[in-house]
Amino acid sequence: MSRDDVDVLIVGAGLSGIDAAYHLQTTLPGLSYAIVEARAAMGGTWDLFRYPGIRSDSDMYTLGFPFRPWPTARGIAGGADILAYLRDTASHYGIDRHIRYRHRVDRAAWDSATAKWTVHASNPDTGARHAITCRFLFLAAGYFHYDHGFTPELPGRASFAGRVVHPQAWTPDIATANKRVVVIGSGATAVTLVPALAATAAHVTMLQRSPTYIMSRPAEDPATAWLRRNLPAGTAAELARWKSVLLTTAFYAYCRRFPDRAKQMLVDGVAAQLRDPEAAAAHFTPSYKPWDQRLCLVPDGDLFGAIRSGRAEVVTDHVDTFTPRGIQLRSGRHLDADVIVTATGLRLRAFGGADLVVDGRPVKLPDVMTYKGMMCSDVPNLAFAIGYTNASWTLKCDLTSRFVCRVLTHMQRHGKRVVVARRDPGVARAPIIDFTSTYVARYIDQFPSQGAVAPWRLYQNYAFDLASLKYARLEDRALQFT
């Protein structure tokens, strides 16, 4: 087993890992750091997902890095372009030289005597093991289970004569041109796949059990395009970013305060796109309130265009059984198919599946409460990155990275070796992700919780978090330095 030592170890070489590395090497250039990545390439989600049409589900003005703004006016970007942007950013700042690939973190153990973590990683291919010690551990592995997605039990699946594939396992050899395709699902993956597949398939059917809120927006924002033409690049990028932040925050607040009005507005928007109010009522009117689950964005109404053209359709029904030729529905209708895509959700996994141990005691994540949405109660010298559910991932992760650098700077200046959040036992608990989505409910009891009040609550508000994390004093009743 090889052994190494760094000041800070970052787990994950996706968006949040690259962001954390930038801030660390910029703010504290004297500290050594490394990034360990379980996969063979950087990019996280954007390297993993390769299905047709993969794109951002929030605008790139906020999903991109604030220190290296997204370079075009196209706000909704394809996965390949996002991956190229991530890799170019890592190369530009020399971050790629700090990445150690095929290092899957299995266990991380804190020792108070030495004030260090010992992180045990293994190579998924060879089984070779590595031990890395560090003074501070930053978990930037997201919350998706990268090994495989979620597919429910599908009656009769073995009888289907065609190919069944989950989008997370998409490979280049999957042929859909001139074929009949059924996409099971109604979330972000499904609404992305359908128009992309419909461009070449004979016909595409999106089969959903229940509708999802879907809203169209321009792929290229006219206001941002104007800013880029008329202002210096840095100023234009900052204004575009704040425009997006404020509009998103205002829209979310409107939806939560006036759910009935927001619901009608969203459904009316779909009816206008489809030019068919009956179809909007039948297939795009959810039973839940807006933002109880994540709202789906479609650029330039591409999903609705595919439906209007007849190349795609939406069917709201339940699977009775697979047949050799497709899917038999409970309603009695049969969907003929050559390829069936199970866009049925993702598996969630906290901290990349790593086991945490503090002074010989395993950390039970469901017993942990999160401090400011980034630290675990009673777990020293550790932070994790998790993004917003109502806005882009990077917004919160960037604030987290900057806050961690504030903490490390404070420790360095004041000769502190340990920082830990101590939970107030009187604070009520709440799920860390406040969505009713099935994919969240299925796994949320395996995650840490949040609290009902600050600083234990995970706020879905960038402006509030900016004030709290960038300007608020570090030492409070909950955060202790020793």
Side-chain angles (χ1 to χ4, degrees), residues 144-187:
F144 291 154
H145 196 310
Y146 275 36
D147 294 345
H148 47 84
F150 176 78
T151 302
E153 290 295 324
L154 298 169
R157 174 174 174 168
S159 68
F160 179 58
R163 186 162 185 178
V164 181
V165 60
H166 191 284
Q168 189 167 323
W170 199 279
T171 52
D173 64 309
I174 298 170
T176 59
N178 302 314
K179 295 184 182 294
R180 298 163 299 178
V181 183
V182 173
V183 177
I184 303 175
S186 60

Side-chain angles (χ1 to χ4, degrees), residues 1 11 36 38 102-109 118-124 127-130 349 351-357:
M1 178 188 298
V11 179
V36 289
R102 309 307 281 162
H103 279 57
R104 181 186 61 207
V105 174
D106 304 311
R107 183 174 184 269
T118 299
V119 178
H120 298 273
S122 61
N123 186 308
R129 295 182 299 159
H130 310 273
R349 183 169 65 174
F351 305 158
D355 293 326
L356 302 181
V357 178

Side-chain angles (χ1 to χ4, degrees), residues 57 212-215 251 255 266 290-291 293-297:
D57 63 349
T212 298
Y213 288 108
I214 302 176
M215 184 172 69
F251 177 66
C255 289
L266 290 166
W291 284 113
Q293 299 180 24
R294 192 173 175 96
L295 186 148
C296 292
L297 291 178

Side-chain angles (χ1 to χ4, degrees), residues 249-475:
T249 302
F251 177 66
Y252 177 79
Y254 177 80
C255 289
R256 301 312 274 177
R257 185 169 183 180
F258 306 107
D260 293 337
R261 296 183 199 173
K263 179 174 185 174
Q264 193 60 53
M265 180 184 70
L266 290 166
V267 174
D268 287 348
V270 173
Q273 288 278 340
L274 290 177
R275 302 164 197 164
D276 186 347
E278 291 184 3
H283 304 299
F284 296 94
T285 305
S287 59
Y288 56 88
K289 297 176 182 178
W291 284 113
D292 281 353
Q293 299 180 24
R294 192 173 175 96
L295 186 148
C296 292
L297 291 178
V298 294
D300 298 326
D302 60 359
L303 172 68
F304 306 120
I307 295 171
R308 287 197 311 269
S309 72
R311 293 178 286 111
E313 66 171 327
V314 177
V315 174
T316 305
D317 208 327
H318 288 73
V319 175
D320 182 47
T321 185
F322 277 46
T323 70
R325 297 185 300 107
I327 297 176
Q328 184 68 45
L329 303 177
R330 288 185 189 175
S331 64
R333 181 179 175 182
H334 188 274
L335 299 179
D336 294 338
D338 303 302
V339 178
I340 297 174
V341 184
T342 55
T344 46
L346 303 167
R347 293 179 184 270
L348 303 188
R349 183 169 65 174
F351 305 158
D355 293 326
L356 302 181
V357 178
V358 174
D359 292 330
R361 299 187 307 275
V363 176
K364 297 178 180 179
L365 292 183
D367 295 339
V368 166
M369 184 173 284
T370 58
Y371 172 85
K372 295 191 175 182
M374 69 178 68
M375 298 178 74
C376 295
S377 60
D378 301 320
V379 180
N381 289 30
L382 179 143
F384 64 92
I386 186 171
Y388 294 121
T389 54
N390 66 343
S392 81
W393 180 264
T394 313
L395 281 174
K396 177 59 185 293
C397 294
D398 183 75
L399 290 178
T400 297
S401 297
R402 286 191 272 174
F403 183 80
V404 167
C405 288
R406 282 188 69 200
V407 168
L408 292 173
T409 300
H410 180 86
M411 294 171 71
Q412 196 173 65
R413 287 175 179 170
H414 297 277
K416 306 295 185 180
R417 299 179 67 196
V418 179
V419 58
V420 62
R422 297 297 185 191
R423 179 190 167 195
D424 180 347
V427 176
R429 305 171 74 93
I432 192 170
I433 303 174
D434 59 349
F435 270 179
T436 62
S437 305
T438 304
Y439 79 96
V440 173
R442 194 180 294 124
Y443 302 101
I444 197 63
D445 61 349
Q446 302 170 21
F447 281 70
S449 64
Q450 64 169 316
V453 296
W456 303 102
R457 185 176 171 187
L458 198 166
Y459 290 91
Q460 299 293 331
N461 187 303
Y462 177 75
F464 178 90
D465 282 341
L466 179 64
S468 172
L469 300 178
K470 187 175 181 180
Y471 300 110
R473 65 189 300 267
L474 285 176
E475 295 196 53

Side-chain angles (χ1 to χ4, degrees), residues 202-227:
H203 188 263
V204 180
T205 302
M206 187 172 91
L207 172 61
Q208 60 180 13
R209 290 184 303 176
S210 58
T212 298
Y213 288 108
I214 302 176
M215 184 172 69
S216 176
R217 61 166 295 168
E220 181 171 318
D221 178 49
T224 299
W226 185 91
L227 291 172

